[in-house]
PDB file of all heavy atoms in Angstrom:
ATOM      1  N   ASN A  28      -4.197 -20.879 -19.887  1.00 98.00           N
ATOM      2  CA  ASN A  28      -3.561 -20.735 -21.212  1.00 98.00           C
ATOM      3  C   ASN A  28      -2.034 -21.005 -21.101  1.00 98.00           C
ATOM      4  O   ASN A  28      -1.218 -20.250 -21.636  1.00 98.00           O
ATOM      5  CB  ASN A  28      -3.809 -19.317 -21.757  1.00 98.00           C
ATOM      6  CG  ASN A  28      -5.274 -19.121 -21.935  1.00 98.00           C
ATOM      7  OD1 ASN A  28      -6.013 -19.909 -22.426  1.00 98.00           O
ATOM      8  ND2 ASN A  28      -5.746 -17.926 -21.466  1.00 98.00           N
ATOM      9  N   CYS A  29      -1.650 -22.038 -20.368  1.00 98.00           N
ATOM     10  CA  CYS A  29      -0.267 -22.416 -20.131  1.00 98.00           C
ATOM     11  C   CYS A  29      -0.001 -23.732 -20.778  1.00 98.00           C
ATOM     12  O   CYS A  29      -0.897 -24.522 -21.048  1.00 98.00           O
ATOM     13  CB  CYS A  29       0.108 -22.401 -18.638  1.00 98.00           C
ATOM     14  SG  CYS A  29      -0.138 -20.871 -17.766  1.00 98.00           S
ATOM     15  N   SER A  30       1.295 -24.031 -21.035  1.00 98.00           N
ATOM     16  CA  SER A  30       1.666 -25.370 -21.639  1.00 98.00           C
ATOM     17  C   SER A  30       2.962 -25.888 -21.067  1.00 98.00           C
ATOM     18  O   SER A  30       3.863 -25.102 -20.676  1.00 98.00           O
ATOM     19  CB  SER A  30       1.746 -25.168 -23.134  1.00 98.00           C
ATOM     20  OG  SER A  30       2.759 -24.312 -23.473  1.00 98.00           O
ATOM     21  N   VAL A  31       3.014 -27.219 -20.977  1.00 98.00           N
ATOM     22  CA  VAL A  31       4.189 -27.934 -20.643  1.00 98.00           C
ATOM     23  C   VAL A  31       4.438 -28.871 -21.842  1.00 98.00           C
ATOM     24  O   VAL A  31       3.607 -29.774 -22.075  1.00 98.00           O
ATOM     25  CB  VAL A  31       4.051 -28.727 -19.336  1.00 98.00           C
ATOM     26  CG1 VAL A  31       5.320 -29.473 -19.013  1.00 98.00           C
ATOM     27  CG2 VAL A  31       3.589 -27.809 -18.157  1.00 98.00           C
ATOM     28  N   ASN A  32       5.539 -28.684 -22.567  1.00 98.00           N
ATOM     29  CA  ASN A  32       5.775 -29.371 -23.812  1.00 98.00           C
ATOM     30  C   ASN A  32       7.146 -30.070 -23.886  1.00 98.00           C
ATOM     31  O   ASN A  32       8.138 -29.458 -23.622  1.00 98.00           O
ATOM     32  CB  ASN A  32       5.752 -28.295 -24.991  1.00 98.00           C
ATOM     33  CG  ASN A  32       4.548 -27.422 -24.918  1.00 98.00           C
ATOM     34  OD1 ASN A  32       3.418 -27.908 -25.013  1.00 98.00           O
ATOM     35  ND2 ASN A  32       4.761 -26.155 -24.767  1.00 98.00           N
ATOM     36  N   GLY A  33       7.072 -31.364 -24.106  1.00 98.00           N
ATOM     37  CA  GLY A  33       8.345 -32.068 -24.422  1.00 98.00           C
ATOM     38  C   GLY A  33       9.287 -32.133 -23.246  1.00 98.00           C
ATOM     39  O   GLY A  33      10.566 -32.120 -23.545  1.00 98.00           O
ATOM     40  N   CYS A  34       8.848 -32.059 -22.041  1.00 99.00           N
ATOM     41  CA  CYS A  34       9.708 -32.094 -20.866  1.00 99.00           C
ATOM     42  C   CYS A  34       9.869 -33.525 -20.399  1.00 99.00           C
ATOM     43  O   CYS A  34       9.056 -34.395 -20.591  1.00 99.00           O
ATOM     44  CB  CYS A  34       9.128 -31.244 -19.781  1.00 99.00           C
ATOM     45  SG  CYS A  34       9.028 -29.473 -20.174  1.00 99.00           S
ATOM     46  N   SER A  35      10.956 -33.735 -19.613  1.00 98.00           N
ATOM     47  CA  SER A  35      11.249 -35.032 -18.996  1.00 98.00           C
ATOM     48  C   SER A  35      11.239 -34.899 -17.508  1.00 98.00           C
ATOM     49  O   SER A  35      11.812 -33.976 -16.930  1.00 98.00           O
ATOM     50  CB  SER A  35      12.653 -35.555 -19.472  1.00 98.00           C
ATOM     51  OG  SER A  35      12.610 -35.815 -20.862  1.00 98.00           O
ATOM     52  N   PHE A  36      10.621 -35.892 -16.855  1.00 98.00           N
ATOM     53  CA  PHE A  36      10.488 -35.891 -15.413  1.00 98.00           C
ATOM     54  C   PHE A  36      10.964 -37.295 -14.973  1.00 98.00           C
ATOM     55  O   PHE A  36      10.382 -38.316 -15.346  1.00 98.00           O
ATOM     56  CB  PHE A  36       9.074 -35.659 -14.970  1.00 98.00           C
ATOM     57  CG  PHE A  36       8.512 -34.384 -15.413  1.00 98.00           C
ATOM     58  CD1 PHE A  36       7.972 -34.278 -16.705  1.00 98.00           C
ATOM     59  CD2 PHE A  36       8.435 -33.293 -14.550  1.00 98.00           C
ATOM     60  CE1 PHE A  36       7.395 -33.007 -17.121  1.00 98.00           C
ATOM     61  CE2 PHE A  36       7.896 -32.080 -14.964  1.00 98.00           C
ATOM     62  CZ  PHE A  36       7.353 -31.963 -16.270  1.00 98.00           C
ATOM     63  N   TYR A  37      11.955 -37.396 -14.147  1.00 98.00           N
ATOM     64  CA  TYR A  37      12.457 -38.687 -13.672  1.00 98.00           C
ATOM     65  C   TYR A  37      13.167 -38.512 -12.322  1.00 98.00           C
ATOM     66  O   TYR A  37      13.711 -37.443 -12.001  1.00 98.00           O
ATOM     67  CB  TYR A  37      13.349 -39.302 -14.655  1.00 98.00           C
ATOM     68  CG  TYR A  37      14.547 -38.522 -15.122  1.00 98.00           C
ATOM     69  CD1 TYR A  37      15.849 -38.608 -14.561  1.00 98.00           C
ATOM     70  CD2 TYR A  37      14.352 -37.546 -16.116  1.00 98.00           C
ATOM     71  CE1 TYR A  37      16.855 -37.845 -14.980  1.00 98.00           C
ATOM     72  CE2 TYR A  37      15.431 -36.749 -16.562  1.00 98.00           C
ATOM     73  CZ  TYR A  37      16.670 -36.874 -16.009  1.00 98.00           C
ATOM     74  OH  TYR A  37      17.738 -36.119 -16.346  1.00 98.00           O
ATOM     75  N   ASN A  38      13.180 -39.587 -11.522  1.00 97.00           N
ATOM     76  CA  ASN A  38      13.779 -39.604 -10.244  1.00 97.00           C
ATOM     77  C   ASN A  38      13.271 -38.466  -9.357  1.00 97.00           C
ATOM     78  O   ASN A  38      14.052 -37.595  -8.950  1.00 97.00           O
ATOM     79  CB  ASN A  38      15.300 -39.531 -10.407  1.00 97.00           C
ATOM     80  CG  ASN A  38      16.075 -39.887  -9.111  1.00 97.00           C
ATOM     81  OD1 ASN A  38      15.460 -40.278  -8.101  1.00 97.00           O
ATOM     82  ND2 ASN A  38      17.376 -39.704  -9.123  1.00 97.00           N
ATOM     83  N   ILE A  39      11.965 -38.466  -9.068  1.00 98.00           N
ATOM     84  CA  ILE A  39      11.313 -37.433  -8.356  1.00 98.00           C
ATOM     85  C   ILE A  39      10.551 -38.049  -7.163  1.00 98.00           C
ATOM     86  O   ILE A  39       9.898 -39.098  -7.368  1.00 98.00           O
ATOM     87  CB  ILE A  39      10.338 -36.678  -9.292  1.00 98.00           C
ATOM     88  CG1 ILE A  39      11.152 -35.960 -10.410  1.00 98.00           C
ATOM     89  CG2 ILE A  39       9.494 -35.611  -8.518  1.00 98.00           C
ATOM     90  CD1 ILE A  39      10.271 -35.303 -11.377  1.00 98.00           C
ATOM     91  N   ALA A  40      10.610 -37.392  -6.001  1.00 98.00           N
ATOM     92  CA  ALA A  40       9.972 -37.936  -4.803  1.00 98.00           C
ATOM     93  C   ALA A  40       8.421 -37.998  -4.863  1.00 98.00           C
ATOM     94  O   ALA A  40       7.818 -38.935  -4.349  1.00 98.00           O
ATOM     95  CB  ALA A  40      10.413 -37.135  -3.605  1.00 98.00           C
ATOM     96  N   ALA A  41       7.874 -36.938  -5.487  1.00 98.00           N
ATOM     97  CA  ALA A  41       6.423 -36.877  -5.583  1.00 98.00           C
ATOM     98  C   ALA A  41       6.027 -36.942  -7.057  1.00 98.00           C
ATOM     99  O   ALA A  41       6.765 -37.423  -7.835  1.00 98.00           O
ATOM    100  CB  ALA A  41       5.813 -35.618  -4.884  1.00 98.00           C
ATOM    101  N   GLY A  42       4.881 -36.329  -7.426  1.00 98.00           N
ATOM    102  CA  GLY A  42       4.387 -36.407  -8.817  1.00 98.00           C
ATOM    103  C   GLY A  42       5.177 -35.475  -9.764  1.00 98.00           C
ATOM    104  O   GLY A  42       5.940 -34.580  -9.367  1.00 98.00           O
ATOM    105  N   ALA A  43       4.949 -35.681 -11.019  1.00 98.00           N
ATOM    106  CA  ALA A  43       5.627 -34.840 -12.046  1.00 98.00           C
ATOM    107  C   ALA A  43       4.896 -33.535 -12.298  1.00 98.00           C
ATOM    108  O   ALA A  43       5.519 -32.441 -12.196  1.00 98.00           O
ATOM    109  CB  ALA A  43       5.664 -35.648 -13.373  1.00 98.00           C
ATOM    110  N   ILE A  44       3.606 -33.577 -12.470  1.00 98.00           N
ATOM    111  CA  ILE A  44       2.793 -32.373 -12.879  1.00 98.00           C
ATOM    112  C   ILE A  44       1.532 -32.401 -12.101  1.00 98.00           C
ATOM    113  O   ILE A  44       0.782 -33.357 -12.075  1.00 98.00           O
ATOM    114  CB  ILE A  44       2.555 -32.341 -14.360  1.00 98.00           C
ATOM    115  CG1 ILE A  44       3.843 -32.341 -15.181  1.00 98.00           C
ATOM    116  CG2 ILE A  44       1.746 -31.015 -14.727  1.00 98.00           C
ATOM    117  CD1 ILE A  44       3.666 -32.538 -16.654  1.00 98.00           C
ATOM    118  N   GLN A  45       1.177 -31.227 -11.483  1.00 98.00           N
ATOM    119  CA  GLN A  45      -0.195 -31.046 -10.952  1.00 98.00           C
ATOM    120  C   GLN A  45      -0.860 -29.859 -11.585  1.00 98.00           C
ATOM    121  O   GLN A  45      -0.297 -28.734 -11.594  1.00 98.00           O
ATOM    122  CB  GLN A  45      -0.189 -30.867  -9.410  1.00 98.00           C
ATOM    123  CG  GLN A  45      -1.582 -30.602  -8.852  1.00 98.00           C
ATOM    124  CD  GLN A  45      -1.723 -30.913  -7.336  1.00 98.00           C
ATOM    125  OE1 GLN A  45      -0.941 -31.670  -6.781  1.00 98.00           O
ATOM    126  NE2 GLN A  45      -2.742 -30.308  -6.793  1.00 98.00           N
ATOM    127  N   VAL A  46      -2.069 -30.025 -11.985  1.00 98.00           N
ATOM    128  CA  VAL A  46      -2.872 -28.974 -12.686  1.00 98.00           C
ATOM    129  C   VAL A  46      -4.126 -28.740 -11.820  1.00 98.00           C
ATOM    130  O   VAL A  46      -4.976 -29.649 -11.786  1.00 98.00           O
ATOM    131  CB  VAL A  46      -3.244 -29.290 -14.120  1.00 98.00           C
ATOM    132  CG1 VAL A  46      -4.036 -28.190 -14.760  1.00 98.00           C
ATOM    133  CG2 VAL A  46      -1.949 -29.575 -14.955  1.00 98.00           C
ATOM    134  N   GLY A  47      -4.281 -27.578 -11.207  1.00 95.00           N
ATOM    135  CA  GLY A  47      -5.388 -27.372 -10.332  1.00 95.00           C
ATOM    136  C   GLY A  47      -5.363 -28.120  -9.028  1.00 95.00           C
ATOM    137  O   GLY A  47      -4.451 -28.890  -8.823  1.00 95.00           O
ATOM    138  N   THR A  48      -6.388 -27.896  -8.177  1.00 91.00           N
ATOM    139  CA  THR A  48      -6.421 -28.553  -6.850  1.00 91.00           C
ATOM    140  C   THR A  48      -7.826 -29.168  -6.661  1.00 91.00           C
ATOM    141  O   THR A  48      -8.734 -28.932  -7.398  1.00 91.00           O
ATOM    142  CB  THR A  48      -6.152 -27.522  -5.714  1.00 91.00           C
ATOM    143  OG1 THR A  48      -7.171 -26.616  -5.711  1.00 91.00           O
ATOM    144  CG2 THR A  48      -4.846 -26.836  -5.956  1.00 91.00           C
ATOM    145  N   THR A  49      -7.926 -29.824  -5.547  1.00 88.00           N
ATOM    146  CA  THR A  49      -9.253 -30.385  -5.166  1.00 88.00           C
ATOM    147  C   THR A  49     -10.108 -29.315  -4.532  1.00 88.00           C
ATOM    148  O   THR A  49     -11.355 -29.404  -4.592  1.00 88.00           O
ATOM    149  CB  THR A  49      -9.069 -31.528  -4.159  1.00 88.00           C
ATOM    150  OG1 THR A  49      -8.410 -31.057  -2.995  1.00 88.00           O
ATOM    151  CG2 THR A  49      -8.171 -32.664  -4.737  1.00 88.00           C
ATOM    152  N   TRP A  50      -9.492 -28.297  -3.966  1.00 83.00           N
ATOM    153  CA  TRP A  50     -10.246 -27.163  -3.362  1.00 83.00           C
ATOM    154  C   TRP A  50     -11.028 -26.398  -4.356  1.00 83.00           C
ATOM    155  O   TRP A  50     -12.134 -25.923  -4.064  1.00 83.00           O
ATOM    156  CB  TRP A  50      -9.246 -26.279  -2.646  1.00 83.00           C
ATOM    157  CG  TRP A  50      -9.841 -24.971  -2.204  1.00 83.00           C
ATOM    158  CD1 TRP A  50     -10.540 -24.690  -1.056  1.00 83.00           C
ATOM    159  CD2 TRP A  50      -9.833 -23.768  -2.981  1.00 83.00           C
ATOM    160  NE1 TRP A  50     -10.932 -23.379  -1.020  1.00 83.00           N
ATOM    161  CE2 TRP A  50     -10.501 -22.751  -2.186  1.00 83.00           C
ATOM    162  CE3 TRP A  50      -9.270 -23.343  -4.160  1.00 83.00           C
ATOM    163  CZ2 TRP A  50     -10.687 -21.428  -2.610  1.00 83.00           C
ATOM    164  CZ3 TRP A  50      -9.467 -22.058  -4.584  1.00 83.00           C
ATOM    165  CH2 TRP A  50     -10.132 -21.121  -3.777  1.00 83.00           C
ATOM    166  N   SER A  51     -10.578 -26.307  -5.557  1.00 80.00           N
ATOM    167  CA  SER A  51     -11.192 -25.431  -6.567  1.00 80.00           C
ATOM    168  C   SER A  51     -12.576 -25.867  -6.999  1.00 80.00           C
ATOM    169  O   SER A  51     -13.296 -25.163  -7.656  1.00 80.00           O
ATOM    170  CB  SER A  51     -10.276 -25.317  -7.812  1.00 80.00           C
ATOM    171  OG  SER A  51     -10.022 -26.582  -8.386  1.00 80.00           O
ATOM    172  N   GLY A  52     -12.977 -27.079  -6.543  1.00 75.00           N
ATOM    173  CA  GLY A  52     -14.367 -27.499  -6.816  1.00 75.00           C
ATOM    174  C   GLY A  52     -15.397 -26.628  -6.155  1.00 75.00           C
ATOM    175  O   GLY A  52     -16.588 -26.638  -6.534  1.00 75.00           O
ATOM    176  N   ARG A  53     -14.993 -25.790  -5.207  1.00 79.00           N
ATOM    177  CA  ARG A  53     -15.904 -24.883  -4.487  1.00 79.00           C
ATOM    178  C   ARG A  53     -16.121 -23.613  -5.263  1.00 79.00           C
ATOM    179  O   ARG A  53     -16.971 -22.804  -4.858  1.00 79.00           O
ATOM    180  CB  ARG A  53     -15.313 -24.534  -3.142  1.00 79.00           C
ATOM    181  CG  ARG A  53     -15.059 -25.818  -2.293  1.00 79.00           C
ATOM    182  CD  ARG A  53     -14.388 -25.390  -0.956  1.00 79.00           C
ATOM    183  NE  ARG A  53     -14.035 -26.534  -0.117  1.00 79.00           N
ATOM    184  CZ  ARG A  53     -13.398 -26.449   1.017  1.00 79.00           C
ATOM    185  NH1 ARG A  53     -13.099 -25.246   1.545  1.00 79.00           N
ATOM    186  NH2 ARG A  53     -13.082 -27.527   1.677  1.00 79.00           N
ATOM    187  N   LEU A  54     -15.318 -23.346  -6.330  1.00 85.00           N
ATOM    188  CA  LEU A  54     -15.400 -22.124  -6.950  1.00 85.00           C
ATOM    189  C   LEU A  54     -16.696 -22.039  -7.835  1.00 85.00           C
ATOM    190  O   LEU A  54     -17.177 -23.007  -8.412  1.00 85.00           O
ATOM    191  CB  LEU A  54     -14.192 -21.919  -7.956  1.00 85.00           C
ATOM    192  CG  LEU A  54     -12.859 -21.790  -7.237  1.00 85.00           C
ATOM    193  CD1 LEU A  54     -11.745 -21.843  -8.306  1.00 85.00           C
ATOM    194  CD2 LEU A  54     -12.760 -20.529  -6.399  1.00 85.00           C
TER     195      LEU A  54
END
């Protein structure tokens, strides 16, 4: 129940936003 709204991401070494992981498929 979280939100990221109207934000700007630029000049970044890796990604802008990550939601969840690959590990959580085991849950």
Side-chain angles (χ1 to χ4, degrees):
N28 303 313
C29 299
S30 63
V31 182
N32 309 298
C34 294
S35 294
F36 301 81
Y37 54 97
N38 195 6
I39 297 176
I44 302 169
Q45 177 161 338
V46 180
T48 66
T49 62
W50 168 85
S51 58
R53 304 175 185 178
L54 295 172

